[in-house]
């Protein structure tokens, strides 16, 4: 069997899946030089929820984190996860914002951009692919894997063709809920390898207990790369453990260094027991509900806040029904949140669609892209009444945001990286920037806010 290359996910998806992305830079910075000696092809270190967590919870500059990682990983490629037109946020951003963000990633030394769209709508990926290719980064086109009457092998082959036709350099099968069974893993990898001359990577989660078996099947089919994590941030709702696969398949990695790194990161995980998923076995209910680990933890949190955690099983039963009504969207950010919140409301109100969220309405309008299958007609009528959904690329409706935001932000924005935070995260981004620059320049932002609306740029020095 061909020896696959390894992409380590410890610093991004591993910690995102198991401790809600709360790992601080100071907890891993000292270990980066050791990571660089392991022999990984790449490390997934940025994107996904890491940007949000840095500014919302950790009081860190995500760009400074990226610079620290880039400086210390001299022999290992660095990789990030990008949500297409959503970037690292939760809505579609205008093309000029996508261009600014992707160019800044390149400026900070990103090597590989894994780009995906929750609906597998190629229209939502074209702009980020175009800019990343211009900047010479490897663009990894990604299929959001799920199971439904329309998500079959032909669907994934056709979508892969769209990605390759748009110039991607490699393909990732992103199995965010751990639904891929070994037989399907072998089929899909074999078919993609026979039809497309690009590397194929498999990314799965062990939530249902299938991931390791499917990885083995993928290796037999000739998969080029596997996503694995150090054991302290593996298994559960994360990826399989690198130690196990290195021992079983002689992946050419330095096991001694891996073991030392694992010892360090077990201690890091202990620092975050309050956010730890603490998943001690698989969750077989996910085979039906198809809920990724992050979505499950969000549902649990929401129900606890409503003092309704005893109704979790009802919500898990409702999720596949809502998903069917919405045309079987894969459950990954932001569609996982859209389906999860509506399912919770349906259960807690005691009546399906008594209340319909704005996000569901926007989804039905086509504002997130094209649904994989037709949506429920009665739900469409109830939500939109006489309004017609759009059939064009959602971002075509968005006016340029960069220069307008630059003028509005005023003294809050010191550079383009700050401007991106301001645009992508709204009030959360504004609070982060205010807190940061209060310390640096000792300005009373309650007074300065009025001046921030002027059409001039005033930067702190």
């Amino acid at each position: 069997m061909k020896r696959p290359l390894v992409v380590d996910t410890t610093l991004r998806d591993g910690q995102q899946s198991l401790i809600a992305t709360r790992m601080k830079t100071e907890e891993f910075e000292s270990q980066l030089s050791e990571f660089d000696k392991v022999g990984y092809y790449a490390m997934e270190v940025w994107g996904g929820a890491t940007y949000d967590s840095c500014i919302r919870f950790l009081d860190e500059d995500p760009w400074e984190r990226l610079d620290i990682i880039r400086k210390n990983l001299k022999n290992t490629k660095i990789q990030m996860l990008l949500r297409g037109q959503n970037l690292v946020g939760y809505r579609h951003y205008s093309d000029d914002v996508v261009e600014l963000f992707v160019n800044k990633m390149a400026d900070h030394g990103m090597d590989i951009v894994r780009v995906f769209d929750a609906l597998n709508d190629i229209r939502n990926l074209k702009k980020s692919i175009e800019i990343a290719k211009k900047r010479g980064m490897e663009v990894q086109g990604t299929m959001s894997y799920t199971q439904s009457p329309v998500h079959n092998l032909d669907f994934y082959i056709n979508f892969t063709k769209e990605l390759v036709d748009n110039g991607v350099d490699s393909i990732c099968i992103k199995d965010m809920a751990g639904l891929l069974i070994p037989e399907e893993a072998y089929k899909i990898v074999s078919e993609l390898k026979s039809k497309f001359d690009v590397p194929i990577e498999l990314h799965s989660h062990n939530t249902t207990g299938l991931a390791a078996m499917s990885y083995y099947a993928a290796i037999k089919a000739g998969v080029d790369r596997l996503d694995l994590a150090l054991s302290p941030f593996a298994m559960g709702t994360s990826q399989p453990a690198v130690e196990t696969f290195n021992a079983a398949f002689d992946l050419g990695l330095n096991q001694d260094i891996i073991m030392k790194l694992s010892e360090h990161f077990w201690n890091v995980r202990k620092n975050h027991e309050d956010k730890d998923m603490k998943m001690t076995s698989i969750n077989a209910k996910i085979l039906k509900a198809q809920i990724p680990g992050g979505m499950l933890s969000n549902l649990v949190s929401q129900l606890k806040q409503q003092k309704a955690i005893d109704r979790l099983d009802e919500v898990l039963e409702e999720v596949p029904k809502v998903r069917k009504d919405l045309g079987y969207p894969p459950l990954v950010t932001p569609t996982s949140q859209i389906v999860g919140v509506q399912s919770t409301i349906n259960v807690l109100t005691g009546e399906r669609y008594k209340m319909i969220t704005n996000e569901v309405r926007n989804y039905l309008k086509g504002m997130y892209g094209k649904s994989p299958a037709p949506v429920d007609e009665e739900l469409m009528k109830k939500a939109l009444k006489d309004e017609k959904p759009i059939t064009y690329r959602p971002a075509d409706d968005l006016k340029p945001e960069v220069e307008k935001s630059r003028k509005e932000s005023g003294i809050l924005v010191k550079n383009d990286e700050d401007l991106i935070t301001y645009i992508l995260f709204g009030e959360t981004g504004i609070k982060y920037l205010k807190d940061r620059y209060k310390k640096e320049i000792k300005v009373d932002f309650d007074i300065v806010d009025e001046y921030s609306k002027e059409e001039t740029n005033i930067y702190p020095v």
Side-chain angles (χ1 to χ4, degrees):
M1 290 184 289
K2 174 183 174 181
R3 174 193 282 178
L5 300 171
V6 175
V7 175
D8 181 277
T9 64
T10 304
L11 301 186
R12 207 290 295 174
D13 204 9
Q15 61 127 345
Q16 181 172 323
S17 296
L18 296 178
I19 59 167
T21 332
R22 295 303 202 277
M23 192 187 297
K24 301 173 185 176
T25 302
E26 65 186 36
E27 292 179 301
F28 65 76
E29 184 177 356
S30 66
Q31 303 301 304
L32 291 172
S33 59
E34 294 302 301
F35 271 120
D36 206 29
K37 301 171 187 173
V38 171
Y40 293 130
Y41 172 74
M43 289 182 63
E44 187 191 58
V45 296
W46 210 67
T50 59
Y51 198 120
D52 187 326
S53 186
C54 277
I55 66 169
R56 192 184 300 270
F57 303 116
L58 304 181
D59 192 26
E60 289 188 20
D61 184 335
W63 299 97
E64 289 180 2
R65 171 182 283 206
L66 179 54
D67 288 342
I68 289 169
I69 294 169
R70 174 71 287 168
K71 178 182 176 182
N72 287 280
L73 293 181
K74 304 179 188 301
N75 305 305
T76 311
K77 295 183 180 184
I78 60 172
Q79 178 171 313
M80 73 160 295
L81 182 68
L82 190 76
R83 300 170 186 147
Q85 204 76 25
N86 287 24
L87 300 176
V88 292
Y90 305 100
R91 66 171 175 88
H92 283 180
Y93 301 95
S94 59
D95 286 343
D96 63 334
V97 177
V98 174
E99 187 165 350
L100 177 64
F101 187 92
V102 175
N103 275 314
K104 280 293 142 187
M105 286 160 30
D107 290 345
H108 285 263
M110 189 62 64
D111 294 308
I112 305 170
V113 185
R114 175 178 292 171
V115 58
F116 80 97
D117 177 67
L119 296 176
N120 293 314
D121 189 334
I122 193 67
R123 300 172 303 172
N124 296 332
L125 299 174
K126 286 187 174 185
K127 178 55 68 172
S128 51
I129 291 173
E130 172 196 337
I131 305 304
K133 289 287 291 180
K134 282 181 181 177
R135 291 303 305 271
M137 292 180 282
E138 177 184 329
V139 181
Q140 187 170 82
T142 305
M143 62 178 76
S144 298
Y145 180 84
T146 190
Q147 295 171 352
S148 81
V150 296
H151 290 95
N152 52 31
L153 185 58
D154 286 342
F155 175 94
Y156 292 117
I157 290 171
N158 291 335
F159 183 58
T160 299
K161 184 177 186 306
E162 288 186 302
L163 290 167
V164 171
D165 287 347
N166 277 274
V168 303
D169 303 292
S170 58
I171 293 293
C172 176
I173 304 162
K174 179 178 171 64
D175 176 27
M176 54 277 178
L179 302 173
L180 186 64
I181 63 174
E183 182 181 1
E184 289 301 311
Y186 186 87
K187 279 184 188 176
I188 195 167
V189 171
S190 297
E191 285 293 313
L192 296 183
K193 291 292 294 177
S194 69
K195 288 179 168 58
F196 304 102
D197 187 23
V198 293
I200 307 299
E201 185 163 342
L202 179 56
H203 173 96
S204 188
H205 292 248
N206 204 56
T207 317
T208 62
L210 289 170
M213 292 185 286
S214 293
Y215 274 28
Y216 177 53
I219 292 172
K220 290 175 69 177
V223 75
D224 297 284
R225 304 175 197 166
L226 288 177
D227 285 8
L228 299 164
L230 292 176
S231 55
F233 287 97
M235 309 305 284
T237 52
S238 179
Q239 285 72 60
V242 66
E243 295 93 327
T244 305
F245 275 78
N246 195 37
F249 298 102
D250 186 21
L251 298 178
L253 305 178
N254 190 316
Q255 192 82 334
D256 291 337
I257 295 176
I258 289 174
M259 297 304 289
K260 289 177 183 177
L261 284 165
S262 294
E263 185 176 351
H264 172 86
F265 282 97
W266 277 119
N267 290 323
V268 171
R269 187 167 176 178
K270 289 176 185 175
N271 295 338
H272 301 279
E273 288 190 352
D274 60 324
K275 300 297 180 186
D276 200 312
M277 279 291 289
K278 297 180 180 177
M279 187 173 177
T280 56
S281 183
I282 67 163
N283 190 331
K285 292 178 182 177
I286 303 305
L287 291 167
K288 180 178 180 182
Q290 300 200 19
I291 295 175
M295 181 180 175
L296 180 61
S297 61
N298 284 338
L299 288 176
V300 169
S301 176
Q302 291 165 11
L303 290 170
K304 283 181 178 177
Q305 289 174 13
Q306 298 293 325
K307 294 183 170 50
I309 190 61
D310 58 311
R311 307 195 70 179
L312 177 61
D313 285 349
E314 293 176 68
V315 174
L316 293 181
E317 288 289 326
E318 180 66 10
V319 164
K321 297 174 185 176
V322 172
R323 182 169 171 261
K324 179 182 178 183
D325 292 341
L326 295 181
Y328 297 106
L331 296 180
V332 63
T333 302
T335 51
S336 53
Q337 289 89 336
I338 294 170
V339 171
V341 171
Q342 186 63 59
S343 300
T344 302
I345 290 172
N346 287 358
V347 168
L348 296 184
T349 59
E351 181 181 334
R352 303 192 77 230
Y353 305 114
K354 181 178 181 179
M355 294 170 56
I356 299 176
T357 68
N358 287 332
E359 287 74 18
V360 167
R361 287 193 177 90
N362 285 335
Y363 175 92
L364 294 168
K365 287 179 189 176
M367 300 307 293
Y368 290 92
K370 183 181 179 182
S371 62
V375 302
D376 182 81
E377 290 186 9
E378 290 302 313
L379 175 58
M380 178 79 86
K381 289 177 184 175
K382 185 172 184 178
L384 302 188
K385 298 183 170 57
D386 295 328
E387 192 174 356
K388 298 293 184 185
I390 66 170
T391 56
Y392 49 82
R393 186 182 77 123
D396 287 345
D397 269 341
L398 300 177
K399 295 178 181 179
E401 299 179 65
V402 171
E403 292 310 315
K404 178 175 178 289
S405 298
R406 198 186 298 277
K407 292 173 181 177
E408 289 176 349
S409 58
I411 198 171
L412 274 179
V413 166
K414 185 176 181 180
N415 49 43
D416 283 343
E417 289 82 354
D418 289 346
L419 182 61
I420 288 168
T421 297
Y422 177 90
I423 295 171
L424 265 55
F425 292 98
E427 289 301 318
T428 298
I430 291 170
K431 180 181 182 304
Y432 162 79
L433 292 169
K434 283 183 176 181
D435 290 345
R436 182 180 182 194
Y437 289 130
K438 261 182 190 173
K439 298 170 188 173
E440 275 192 30
I441 59 176
K442 298 181 173 61
V443 171
D444 184 345
F445 279 104
D446 292 332
I447 297 172
V448 169
D449 278 349
E450 290 305 311
Y451 293 95
S452 297
K453 296 170 186 174
E454 296 292 329
E455 293 191 355
T456 56
N457 291 316
I458 307 171
Y459 297 111
V461 292

